Every structure is written in structure tokens, then in C-alpha cells.
Amino acid sequence: MLDPELLERITARRAELDELEEQLAKQLAEVRAERDELAVAERVLERMSEQLTDERASVAPVPGQVGGRAVMLIPHRTSGVEEATLPPDYQRILAAVRQAAGPVMAWQVGDALGIKVSVRAKLEPLRGKLVRLVDRGWLRKLPDGRFTTRL
């Protein structure tokens, strides 16, 4: 005849193991569900990254033509774009700003470049080029209107 106490201990242990199996099955299901969610998130991230890359490429300036003539567009400053890609006059402007002891006004850049700064018609196109360099990330414009190089 079987020992009732031993039989009771076996039954209790079986119940413990059944409960543990249930908990582990639930945890395994949660782990699998989270892994599936991570796989979906990874695919979404990849698609978004591709879309951003495509959007950035479409926003980047491309050489254009106006009236059958090629126009020079100032490229956005990015890690792969060198200063040498800028037209020579823009390179000289950057050099003048860089050589200054600190932030400079447009007339100071013009003076360094040998432009007649007293003639507004000569200074305004330079100011436009400075602003274009700011817009493309090559220079920084301070609130007081002075220009400086980017950090």
C-alpha cells in the first residue's frame, strides 16, 4: 500500500510544477510578443530612415538652369560636402569671416574683400551672399546682425 503522506507530497509538488509551468508559459508568450513588437519597430525605423534619406536627397540643392544658363547653387553644409564645392567668391567670403578676430558685420567682410562698402549697391549683394551662407549652414548670424563661422 502507498504511503498517504508521500502521495500527498507528490500531489503538492505536481501542483507546484503545474503552476510554475503555467507562469513560464505566460512569460514565454510575453517574451515572444515583445520580440514581435521589436521586429515591427525595427522595420518601421528602417522605413523611416529610408524616407528621411530620400527626403534629404530631394531637398539638397541641385544645379539648375535659368534662361538656358547654368546657375550656381550653394550646397547645404553636411558632413560630406567640402568648402571647395562652393563658388570661389563664396569661398573668399568664408575665408574673410574666418580670418576676422571675431564676429563681423557685412561691411567689414566687404572691406576685407576690397569691395567699396560706402556704395550700398555693392554691399547689399554681399549681404545676400552672407545670408545665403547662413541659410545653408556655412555661417552663423548673431542677433546683432554680425556673422561668424559655425562651430
Side-chain angles (χ1 to χ4, degrees), residues 48-62:
M48 288 177 65
S49 177
E50 289 171 4
Q51 286 176 349
L52 282 174
T53 301
D54 292 345
E55 286 176 16
R56 285 185 184 138
S58 69
V59 170
V62 293

Side-chain angles (χ1 to χ4, degrees), residues 74-94:
I74 308 307
H76 286 274
R77 181 179 182 199
T78 59
S79 60
V81 178
E82 296 295 324
E83 196 173 302
T85 61
L86 294 171
D89 53 337
Y90 285 87
Q91 290 179 34
R92 286 191 299 275
I93 292 169
L94 278 176

Side-chain angles (χ1 to χ4, degrees), residues 120-150:
R120 188 177 180 113
K122 301 278 185 185
L123 190 57
E124 288 310 311
L126 172 63
R127 188 182 319 279
K129 289 179 180 180
L130 285 162
V131 169
R132 197 166 299 119
L133 287 169
V134 168
D135 292 342
R136 300 297 197 284
W138 293 96
L139 291 177
R140 191 171 57 138
K141 187 175 182 182
L142 301 176
D144 64 2
R146 295 181 301 160
F147 297 89
T148 185
T149 55
R150 305 261 331 151

